[in-house]
């Protein structure tokens, strides 16, 4: 960075540190911010630089790989090799949530259970696996191993594995991305290295090592693990680095979720249109997962869908990046915020500049949630819906209360949302991980949840 830029950045941060919203974040309060710069899709889609053609291309690639996935991962055989998660109503939890927050919650509350995606049990089974498949396909096509019309089931062979064994894949992760990329890469035959940040759980590292993945443990946080992975991979032409902060492939892999959700809503006869708005609450780390899903949702449902990001009070990186307009130039540490949270999938101190810039006029708002709240909601969800999630995956649950809160009248007026539309609305909580959490760890989470509820 040039001296002048560094000086300007220092001045900008000093300015923002005195503003009301950053001050509330610095005090670790739970806050919401609905961005007045949001625009209709027709106006803002150009910011992304991707569109329906790219989304359909990604969906077609996943369909080509379905015969391979059905063979390589028996838990995808029932869905013919399509990696997808259930959609579930939260009929029992919705009144409990209303009582817990002490407010009426009209509309229908649903959960998208990416926590139960096959292969790796988190939202990362979308983007992470997609990018590895995309890379494997381009190598295999170039080598003449397959054609676009071939049955990709042939890639589950020793010969194909030996071929991919000449190539390397590297990634930096707080845990779940490493888990997804490690498992699929090792299965295809790649040599794969996962750079894990300090907050990654031991069981995730153990599981990867059991798959023959090289796990490098870092003392520092996610951004440092990514930087180190990127540096090591750059020196090796046979190595593909999966860049969680900037990758369009990852982004498109996540976006395909919207097409699948569209079919699931149709099957449940849930309407999404101007009179039946859809609100979607997405836990946000670096931004690729929620950004990609939100991009797909906007393409499919247009202005009838309202996407809102959720972050821990200790890691509100996307909120700070978009609110200040400084994007990846700022980290939560610039605001004295420590990036220490039990929501390990969201423990990211610096946002993706690519996602922040591409999506800032398409994301309605952002809010923060405390770790204590995540644990309390984890316990309530387990108790009333028998769904066990990891802490990160609960971040979407308070979203409905922010949208309906009395103080957000301006936001609802700006979106022309009246009481009737809110009665007919669907609120979708994106549950991003949890089905692979070991039992002992889950017992510990539940105990922390009970303690948080009692406090
Ligand atoms: C990674 C992750 C997210 C957020 O995805 P980003 O791409 O980092 O924003 C949310 N929840 C869980 C459980 C995750 O692992």
């Amino acid at each position: 960075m040039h001296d002048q830029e560094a000086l300007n950045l220092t001045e900008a941060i000093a300015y923002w540190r005195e503003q009301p919203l950053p001050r509330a974040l610095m005090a670790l309060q739970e806050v919401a911010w609905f961005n007045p710069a949001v625009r209709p899709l027709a106006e803002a889609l150009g910011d992304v630089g991707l569109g329906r053609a790219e989304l359909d291309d990604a969906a077609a690639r996943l369909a080509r790989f379905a015969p391979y996935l059905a063979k390589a991962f028996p838990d995808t055989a029932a869905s013919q090799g399509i990696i997808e998660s259930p959609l579930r109503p939260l009929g029992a939890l919705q009144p409990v949530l209303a009582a817990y927050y002490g407010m009426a919650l009209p509309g229908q509350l649903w959960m998208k259970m990416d926590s139960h995606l096959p292969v790796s049990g988190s939202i990362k089974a979308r983007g992470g696996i997609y990018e590895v498949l995309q890379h494997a396909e381009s190598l295999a096509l170039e080598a003449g191993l397959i054609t676009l019309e071939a049955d990709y089931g042939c890639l589950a062979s020793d010969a194909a594995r030996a071929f991919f064994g000449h190539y390397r894949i590297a990634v930096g992760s707080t845990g779940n991305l490493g888990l997804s990329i490690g498992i699929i890469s090792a299965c295809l035959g790649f040599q794969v290295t996962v750079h894990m940040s300090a907050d990654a759980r031991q069981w995730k590292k153990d599981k990867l090592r059991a798959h023959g993945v090289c796990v490098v443990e870092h003392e520092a946080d996610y951004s440092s693990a990514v930087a180190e992975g990127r540096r090591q991979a750059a020196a090796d032409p046979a190595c593909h680095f999966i860049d969680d902060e900037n990758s369009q492939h990852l982004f498109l892999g996540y976006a395909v979720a919207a097409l699948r959700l569209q079919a699931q809503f149709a099957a449940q006869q849930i309407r999404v249109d101007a009179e039946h708005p859809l609100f979607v609450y997405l836990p946000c780390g670096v931004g690729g997962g929620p950004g990609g899903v939100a991009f797909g949702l906007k393409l499919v449902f247009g202005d009838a869908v309202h996407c809102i990001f959720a972050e821990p009070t200790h890691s509100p990186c996307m909120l700070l990046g978009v609110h200040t307009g400084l994007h990846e130039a700022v980290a939560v540490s610039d605001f004295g915020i420590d990036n220490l949270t039990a929501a390990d999938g969201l423990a990211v101190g610096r946002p993706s500049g690519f996602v922040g810039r591409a999506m800032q006029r398409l994301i309605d708002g952002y809010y923060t949630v405390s770790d204590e709240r995540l644990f309390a909601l984890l316990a309530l969800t387990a108790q009333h819906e028998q769904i066990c999630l990891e802490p990160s995956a609960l971040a979407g649950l308070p979203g409905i209360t922010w949208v309906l809160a009395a103080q957000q009248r301006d936001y609802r007026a700006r979106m022309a949302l009246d009481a009737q539309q809110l009665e007919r609305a669907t609120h979708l909580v994106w549950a991003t991980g949890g089905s692979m959490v070991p039992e002992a760890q889950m017992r510990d989470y539940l105990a922390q949840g009970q303690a948080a509820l009692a406090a």
Side-chain angles (χ1 to χ4, degrees):
M1 205 182 291
H2 298 301
D3 289 353
Q4 189 57 47
E5 273 177 48
L7 190 64
N8 290 347
L9 180 60
T10 308
E11 283 175 5
I13 290 168
Y15 166 79
W16 282 110
R17 284 176 64 112
E18 297 305 322
Q19 300 309 305
L21 184 74
R23 284 180 69 97
L25 292 172
M26 291 166 76
L28 303 176
Q29 289 168 18
E30 291 187 326
V31 300
W33 175 59
F34 288 86
N35 189 355
V38 166
R39 288 294 170 269
L41 180 66
E43 250 178 82
L45 181 60
D47 298 358
V48 187
L50 298 165
R52 185 64 196 231
E54 287 82 4
L55 177 66
D56 289 339
D57 178 62
R61 183 164 293 105
L62 287 169
R64 288 197 292 279
F65 270 98
Y68 167 78
L69 293 168
K71 264 193 192 173
F73 297 97
D75 58 343
T76 69
S79 56
Q80 284 81 43
I82 295 297
I83 297 174
E84 198 39 75
S85 71
L87 176 68
R88 247 193 76 156
L90 297 180
L93 187 58
Q94 188 168 348
V96 173
L97 197 66
Y100 172 78
Y101 278 98
M103 63 188 283
L105 298 179
Q108 299 291 324
L109 191 63
W110 287 73
M111 182 171 274
K112 180 63 176 151
M113 298 183 65
D114 275 10
S115 48
H116 291 66
L117 276 173
V119 184
S120 63
S122 82
I123 189 171
K124 305 298 195 305
R126 298 187 184 278
I129 288 176
Y130 174 76
E131 178 154 352
V132 174
L133 295 178
Q134 188 276 337
H135 182 58
E137 182 181 58
S138 78
L139 291 173
L141 284 171
E142 202 180 321
L145 225 57
I146 49 169
T147 63
L148 286 176
E149 293 73 35
D151 178 344
Y152 284 19
C154 69
L155 295 176
S157 67
D158 289 344
R161 288 178 50 82
F163 168 75
F164 290 125
H166 295 114
Y167 298 93
R168 277 178 286 284
I169 286 182
V171 67
S173 172
T174 62
N176 286 338
L177 185 64
L179 207 56
S180 293
I181 285 172
I183 291 172
I184 185 73
S185 301
C187 192
L188 279 159
F190 286 107
Q191 299 175 50
V192 50
T193 302
V194 175
H195 296 268
M196 286 287 207
S197 58
D199 32 63
R201 304 275 161 190
Q202 189 61 43
W203 68 267
K204 295 180 183 174
K205 301 177 203 168
D206 295 344
K207 201 173 174 83
L208 279 174
R209 291 195 170 112
H211 276 86
V213 173
C214 172
V215 178
V216 181
E217 300 184 45
H218 292 267
E219 297 282 324
D221 74 358
Y222 163 84
S223 304
S224 316
V226 171
E228 182 56 20
R230 186 184 283 126
R231 196 187 61 74
Q232 289 186 14
D236 179 355
C239 184
H240 178 72
F241 177 71
I242 294 184
D243 190 339
D244 198 14
E245 293 172 335
N246 299 295
S247 170
Q248 292 195 350
H249 296 305
L250 272 176
F251 190 77
L252 288 168
Y254 289 118
V256 172
L259 299 172
R260 311 274 179 77
L261 182 66
Q262 184 178 35
Q264 289 179 322
F265 274 156
Q268 299 281 349
Q269 298 179 328
I270 295 173
R271 287 169 63 177
V272 180
D273 54 35
E275 292 309 310
H276 302 79
L278 169 64
F279 296 87
V280 183
Y281 308 104
L282 295 149
C284 178
V286 74
V293 170
F295 167 67
L297 290 170
K298 294 305 281 190
L299 285 179
V300 168
F301 299 112
D303 296 321
V305 65
H306 301 272
C307 299
I308 292 146
F309 284 7
E311 295 180 292
T313 50
H314 285 253
S315 309
C317 68
M318 188 61 77
L319 201 173
L320 272 172
V322 174
H323 183 71
T324 62
L326 296 169
H327 297 292
E328 80 278 22
V330 286
V332 297
S333 57
D334 295 325
F335 291 80
I337 302 171
D338 62 14
N339 191 29
L340 295 177
T341 168
D344 40 299
L346 312 180
V348 177
R350 191 181 292 279
S352 161
F354 156 58
V355 173
R357 289 189 186 83
M359 296 300 296
Q360 58 187 340
R361 298 200 297 161
L362 294 168
I363 304 301
D364 280 21
Y366 311 76
Y367 64 87
T368 60
V369 49
S370 73
D371 277 26
E372 298 71 34
R373 180 92 60 202
L374 292 176
F375 279 116
L377 296 172
L378 186 151
L380 289 177
T381 303
Q383 191 182 333
H384 296 279
E385 297 283 355
Q386 292 75 48
I387 303 172
C388 287
L389 300 172
E390 62 183 277
S392 297
L394 278 308
L397 208 43
I400 182 173
T401 69
W402 284 112
V403 163
L404 297 174
Q407 73 261 36
Q408 303 306 338
R409 205 168 290 123
D410 285 356
Y411 160 63
R412 293 189 300 268
R414 192 148 37 75
M415 293 291 153
L417 293 163
D418 63 27
Q420 276 114 42
Q421 286 156 322
L422 293 175
E423 281 293 337
R424 293 190 287 256
T426 301
H427 296 264
L428 183 63
V429 176
W430 212 280
T432 45
S435 64
M436 293 198 178
V437 173
E439 240 179 271
Q441 174 79 73
M442 190 53 73
R443 268 199 301 276
D444 183 59
Y445 285 156
L446 288 169
Q448 287 191 68
Q450 291 304 340
L453 283 175

